[in-house]
Amino acid sequence: MTSSIKPQLIVSLFLLAILFILSLTSKINDPFFSIGIILSFVIFIKLKSAVLRLTCIDTLIVILLLYEIILQFISVNFITNFIHLKISVICTLYYLVLRLCFNKKVEFEYLLFSYGLIIGVAALLGCVAFFYFEDLIYNIAQFDSLYPFRYLYKPLGQSINIWSSYLLGFAGLILFSILYCRKLLRLRIILIFCLIPVTYGIITSFSRGIYVAFIFLLISLFLLLVFSKTKLITKLCLSCCVAICLLLIIRPFVSEVFQTLNFTETISQQKSIEGRVLSSKASFKKINENLFFGAGSGTFSQIINTKRYESDKTSFTTFAPHIISQLLIEKGIIGFSLWLLFLIVIFVYLLKRIHLNLIFPLFLIISVTILIRELSFPVLLNSMSLKLVMFTLLAAVQNIDAKNTFIINKDITKWISIIPFIICLGILSISLSLSNSNKLNDKAVKLAEGGNIDSALKILKDCDDFMPTFINKGYMYWKQYYEMNDTVNLNIAIKYFRCVTNYYRSPLLDHNIAYMIYERGNTIVAINRLKTLVEEFPENALYNLSLSRILYLNKNNNKWTDYLIKAVKYNPSVLNSCYWKEIDNADPYVKDILIESLINSAEREQNPIIISNIGKSLYLLDRKSEAEKFISKALEMMPNLPKAWLNLALVEFDKNNKLNYELYATRYLVLSGQSQLKSLQDDKQKMLMQYKDELKIQDFGVQNYISKYIGWYMSNLFVFTPY
């Protein structure tokens, strides 16, 4: 690397390094799509003077982008698909810049080395975050194991599952860079040191899927080393160094590593596997709904919502259980076939050249490693960072071997150079429109939460008509109906909710419509609709509560108590509602029935979350000894339940056991992610106030929907329920 560096190469390296750093830290908030426009400009300048040579892999990457653009017009969710489209456009333009501008080996050496340094620094920051996490769990919360609480470890703001997938890709990139820069000893030594914190991060992720992929990577690298032409003494030294390094990293965390490798030892592990299996089954049942083109990028959770996420026992996630179901749901048969073809072409390309250079089998190993990870937790299609890593390696591999390319005519090339600009301008216009709508929507939500519904609705009139606006308008008009007792507002609210449910099914909005039909006086229709929802989603507290309330108010039958018991079982905050206070005052015997049913249910229940809910309910019903028994049982099964520790802290406070109270309160604060630990000298009233603040009854039944709304629409939701 002694040759002089061109100024344009320095600028290119700087811009690409900035892009890579931004992709690591967070989602890039760029309404002006400046990154895409800059990359388009680079491509335009380069194509004015260069000959355009394309491989089959280049062509397929462009085709995959064109397919993403097509999906934008047919997706069930315009917003999430657009966010993924922006990522795809940036990554594709980035790849084309590498293919056009980094034709010399020395140029890629600079690029790979700079990325290796960035990764090394990022991995070191991840290690610092882990040390803080370790201190939090061992010294402050006084737990004896890290594994159950790994979700609290969020390096650079990323969840541990996403970060560990990044680390796997980073390890591949550094290994590739070490081999690519094989003649540059100093750079290789620096890159080897950068690999150490990455390896530390992979091992301390305590992720089963990561471990499986990492073990495959280690075995494959060992076999590659064995069959290489490297001297025997070098092979032995390398193997011993790697083994010693791994043992030193693993030694402090032997119990956590073995717990991870046992796969089904803990309740959390069992629930995770069960959830993936159920999500897979749900996805395969939903494939036929959008068979050929799919539902659009980022829509997986929205499509399987009715099969998976309407139960209060199931935590919501936007991630698919594996990449196969994600591709089939989001891209359809056509998109799945294109990605499969892309994968086959890459593998064939590498296998044909496997004897030419160790770079080719190494990239094959890295690709299979990432694929193994994607089969347990898919990140690649949603992540710019991991895509950039894989596209960097793919471009580097192809720039080594420039054969089997076809040349595009210069006249055609001139027109091609304009296409990225056209795409970016289209994205820019949509991005600005969505950004403006989101700002107006967020402003309206703040006004509505402050009680100024009229002003909020006036602002929403200036928003584009899209799903988030319809949903917020529906909730605001519903709230206005309660304030003004005007059925006109009620009818408008129903109209807006139906605008959404006519486009795709939303059980929560179906529930809202049914309840508003009851408020409009059509009791029988409302009861029948709610019964249908309860039969389909028996583990949803809100649907059970609404049916119970309507039956109770209309003295329809005695089954209202059954629905009430279910509602309390799945969401104890029912006991803070005006409805429960009304029942408790009018029919005190119901409390005894409820307590007996909850205790019997807790004795049979195997789900620690439900057992904890029942314990919380019993605490609110002044049955402290039973509450302590069941909350303790839940925490023995699954110690990472924050609210359970809070409830146990309150039980200990009532017993005047200060030491246990402070310990459990601390654990609650740690597990609920409150980095600034509050004073543990707070009296019971303050703790209860915090407790009640987190169980706001006006948010009852829509806590999960808030997560869905943000995940699907990237916007804020105005919350209202009639409780």
Side-chain angles (χ1 to χ4, degrees):
M1 292 176 74
T2 56
S3 58
S4 60
I5 309 175
K6 296 178 181 179
Q8 55 265 41
L9 178 60
I10 295 175
V11 174
S12 298
L13 285 171
F14 177 76
L15 292 175
L16 295 179
I18 293 294
L19 172 59
F20 193 68
I21 292 169
L22 288 173
S23 72
L24 288 177
T25 53
S26 62
K27 294 179 181 177
I28 299 174
N29 184 16
D30 181 17
F32 297 101
F33 203 56
S34 53
I35 295 171
I37 292 171
I38 291 170
L39 292 172
S40 298
F41 181 74
V42 173
I43 292 170
F44 176 78
I45 295 298
K46 189 66 179 177
L47 287 180
K48 286 183 69 176
S49 57
V51 176
L52 181 58
R53 299 174 182 269
L54 297 176
T55 64
C56 288
I57 294 174
D58 299 334
T59 308
L60 279 170
I61 287 176
V62 173
I63 290 172
L64 287 171
L65 175 61
L66 293 175
Y67 188 75
E68 289 290 327
I69 294 172
I70 292 170
L71 283 180
Q72 186 61 48
F73 297 99
I74 59 176
S75 173
V76 300
N77 189 326
F78 185 89
I79 296 170
T80 52
N81 194 92
F82 180 70
I83 290 167
H84 286 78
L85 175 62
K86 288 170 72 175
I87 292 173
S88 295
V89 170
I90 289 174
C91 291
T92 303
L93 294 177
Y94 166 85
Y95 170 80
L96 293 175
V97 167
L98 294 187
R99 293 284 287 127
L100 290 169
C101 301
F102 290 78
N103 296 316
K104 296 178 182 178
K105 189 172 185 292
V106 67
E107 295 172 344
F108 248 108
E109 286 172 346
Y110 278 112
L111 182 70
L112 292 172
F113 177 68
S114 61
Y115 281 3
L117 288 179
I118 292 169
I119 288 169
V121 172
L124 277 173
L125 292 174
C127 291
V128 172
F130 179 80
F131 298 146
Y132 172 75
F133 157 72
E134 189 179 19
D135 179 67
L136 204 62
I137 298 302
Y138 282 145
N139 298 327
I140 297 178
Q142 298 180 34
F143 289 111
D144 57 6
S145 175
L146 297 174
Y147 185 83
F149 316 102
R150 53 189 291 273
Y151 69 92
L152 291 172
Y153 172 39
K154 294 184 178 180
L156 301 185
Q158 303 284 1
S159 77
I160 184 57
N161 283 328
I162 296 173
W163 178 249
S164 56
S165 291
Y166 287 0
L167 289 176
L168 211 56
F170 296 162
L173 189 143
I174 292 177
L175 288 167
F176 186 94
S177 304
I178 291 170
L179 193 57
Y180 199 89
C181 306
R182 61 191 308 170
K183 294 182 180 179
L184 306 163
L185 183 59
R186 291 181 182 177
L187 296 191
R188 294 177 75 187
I189 292 171
I190 294 171
L191 289 171
I192 288 170
F193 278 105
C194 290
L195 189 60
I196 293 172
V198 172
T199 306
Y200 187 91
I202 288 172
I203 290 171
T204 55
S205 69
F206 308 127
S207 165
R208 292 164 295 174
I210 288 293
Y211 277 20
V212 171
F214 189 57
I215 289 169
F216 169 82
L217 178 65
L218 291 174
I219 293 172
S220 301
L221 290 174
F222 178 74
L223 293 175
L224 186 63
L225 180 64
V226 168
F227 291 106
S228 69
K229 296 178 181 179
T230 309
K231 293 179 181 180
L232 180 60
I233 187 66
T234 305
K235 293 178 182 179
L236 290 172
C237 289
L238 279 174
S239 301
C240 290
C241 288
V242 170
I244 291 169
C245 183
L246 289 173
L247 288 173
L248 288 174
I249 295 173
I250 291 171
R251 190 174 178 274
F253 312 109
V254 172
S255 62
E256 284 86 358
V257 169
F258 277 104
Q259 197 170 33
T260 305
L261 293 173
N262 282 333
F263 281 85
T264 58
E265 180 179 326
T266 67
I267 298 290
S268 295
Q269 289 174 323
Q270 295 166 16
K271 285 175 65 64
S272 174
I273 293 173
E274 180 188 10
R276 293 174 193 278
V277 171
L278 292 173
S279 292
S280 297
K281 289 180 179 178
S283 65
F284 290 127
K285 290 178 182 177
K286 287 284 189 176
I287 288 171
N288 288 334
E289 292 183 6
N290 302 277
L291 182 61
F292 293 105
F293 289 95
S297 299
T299 59
F300 182 87
S301 59
Q302 193 170 355
I303 295 302
I304 70 162
N305 176 58
T306 55
K307 296 292 183 182
R308 282 290 291 141
Y309 301 126
E310 286 298 318
S311 168
D312 287 333
K313 291 169 64 175
T314 306
S315 299
F316 173 74
T317 175
T318 57
F319 288 94
H322 49 77
I323 196 168
I324 296 173
S325 61
Q326 183 182 12
L327 283 171
L328 288 171
I329 288 290
E330 296 183 3
K331 319 292 185 184
I333 295 294
I334 296 174
F336 178 82
S337 301
L338 286 173
W339 275 96
L340 182 61
L341 177 63
F342 179 58
L343 190 65
I344 291 170
V345 168
I346 290 174
F347 281 5
V348 170
Y349 174 86
L350 295 172
L351 289 170
K352 282 184 177 180
R353 293 157 178 79
I354 204 165
H355 61 284
L356 299 177
N357 192 319
L358 282 177
I359 286 291
F360 295 104
L362 177 60
F363 182 57
L364 181 62
I365 290 167
I366 294 167
S367 300
V368 175
T369 301
I370 297 299
L371 181 60
I372 291 171
R373 172 55 174 168
E374 290 292 300
L375 290 173
S376 65
F377 190 85
V379 173
L380 182 63
L381 298 180
N382 305 326
S383 160
M384 181 183 293
S385 187
L386 197 55
K387 264 188 180 179
L388 291 179
V389 168
M390 297 310 294
F391 277 5
T392 300
L393 300 181
L394 194 56
V397 163
Q398 290 187 93
N399 285 3
I400 291 174
D401 178 39
K403 298 176 183 178
N404 298 322
T405 60
F406 53 91
I407 301 173
I408 304 296
N409 184 281
K410 285 188 176 181
D411 293 331
I412 298 175
T413 301
K414 290 179 181 178
W415 290 103
I416 290 175
S417 65
I418 302 172
I419 292 175
F421 272 121
I422 296 172
I423 293 172
C424 289
L425 289 174
I427 289 176
L428 173 62
S429 63
I430 297 172
S431 181
L432 290 174
S433 175
L434 287 178
S435 178
N436 181 60
S437 294
N438 271 337
K439 286 178 182 177
L440 292 174
N441 184 67
D442 292 346
K443 185 177 179 181
V445 168
K446 286 182 180 178
L447 286 170
E449 288 173 346
N452 198 342
I453 301 289
D454 288 330
S455 298
L457 288 169
K458 286 178 182 177
I459 288 174
L460 289 181
K461 286 181 181 178
D462 297 327
C463 279
D464 294 331
D465 287 335
F466 67 140
M467 295 300 168
T469 308
F470 287 153
I471 295 168
N472 276 331
K473 283 181 179 178
Y475 275 117
M476 288 177 191
Y477 276 108
W478 195 10
K479 176 73 178 296
Q480 204 164 46
Y481 160 74
Y482 270 83
E483 292 178 351
M484 301 172 63
N485 196 25
D486 182 0
T487 54
V488 173
N489 288 314
L490 194 64
N491 291 330
I492 295 173
I494 292 173
K495 182 192 76 172
Y496 278 115
F497 285 145
R498 278 180 173 159
C499 285
V500 179
T501 57
N502 288 338
Y503 189 66
Y504 74 90
R505 192 181 176 206
S506 173
L508 177 64
L509 300 188
D510 287 338
H511 157 272
N512 293 349
I513 292 170
Y515 202 90
M516 285 187 280
I517 287 173
Y518 162 72
E519 290 172 327
R520 206 163 57 179
N522 298 330
T523 303
I524 295 175
V525 174
I527 289 173
N528 289 335
R529 289 193 175 202
L530 288 171
K531 279 184 177 178
T532 301
L533 282 173
V534 168
E535 287 170 5
E536 188 175 358
F537 310 111
E539 296 172 344
N540 187 293
L542 179 61
Y543 306 160
N544 279 286
L545 180 65
S546 293
L547 181 56
S548 171
R549 187 182 192 193
I550 292 174
L551 292 175
Y552 173 77
L553 292 175
N554 288 273
K555 308 299 179 184
N556 194 294
N557 56 45
N558 294 324
K559 287 188 177 181
W560 63 268
T561 54
D562 297 335
Y563 298 119
L564 175 64
I565 291 167
K566 282 185 181 180
V568 173
K569 177 181 175 181
Y570 294 117
N571 195 329
S573 59
V574 170
L575 298 173
N576 288 334
S577 67
C578 296
Y579 171 45
W580 167 250
K581 291 173 184 176
E582 180 184 347
I583 293 171
D584 195 28
N585 291 331
D587 302 297
Y589 76 93
V590 175
K591 181 176 180 179
D592 296 329
I593 296 173
L594 178 59
I595 291 171
E596 183 181 356
S597 298
L598 289 173
I599 291 173
N600 291 336
S601 179
E603 297 287 358
R604 300 188 303 269
E605 185 61 55
Q606 298 297 317
N607 188 322
I609 296 174
I610 301 302
I611 296 172
S612 174
N613 284 346
I614 293 173
K616 184 190 299 183
S617 300
L618 291 170
Y619 178 83
L620 294 173
L621 293 166
D622 293 322
R623 298 294 290 262
K624 306 293 174 61
S625 60
E626 290 94 340
E628 182 180 13
K629 172 186 173 182
F630 292 122
I631 294 169
S632 299
K633 178 182 175 182
L635 288 170
E636 285 176 9
M637 298 170 70
M638 187 182 288
N640 56 350
L641 301 174
K643 298 290 177 61
W645 288 111
L646 173 59
N647 291 311
L648 200 56
L650 294 175
V651 170
E652 293 296 334
F653 190 96
D654 291 338
K655 292 164 62 177
N656 201 27
N657 191 336
K658 185 179 179 181
L659 288 177
N660 283 347
Y661 162 74
E662 291 188 354
L663 175 62
Y664 299 155
T666 302
R667 288 180 173 179
Y668 159 69
L669 292 169
V670 168
L671 297 185
S672 59
Q674 300 184 41
S675 57
Q676 298 296 323
L677 297 182
K678 298 177 182 178
S679 171
L680 298 177
Q681 305 304 320
D682 288 349
D683 59 17
K684 182 182 178 184
Q685 188 62 32
K686 289 185 179 179
M687 283 296 289
L688 282 172
M689 288 302 295
Q690 183 184 12
Y691 180 72
K692 289 179 180 178
D693 285 344
E694 295 181 357
L695 296 175
K696 289 179 181 176
I697 199 61
Q698 59 262 36
D699 296 347
F700 172 73
V702 292
Q703 294 96 331
N704 284 341
Y705 189 72
I706 293 171
S707 300
K708 294 175 187 178
Y709 185 93
I710 294 171
W712 295 340
Y713 304 121
M714 312 298 166
S715 189
N716 291 323
L717 174 69
F718 173 69
V719 174
F720 172 75
T721 60
Y723 298 105

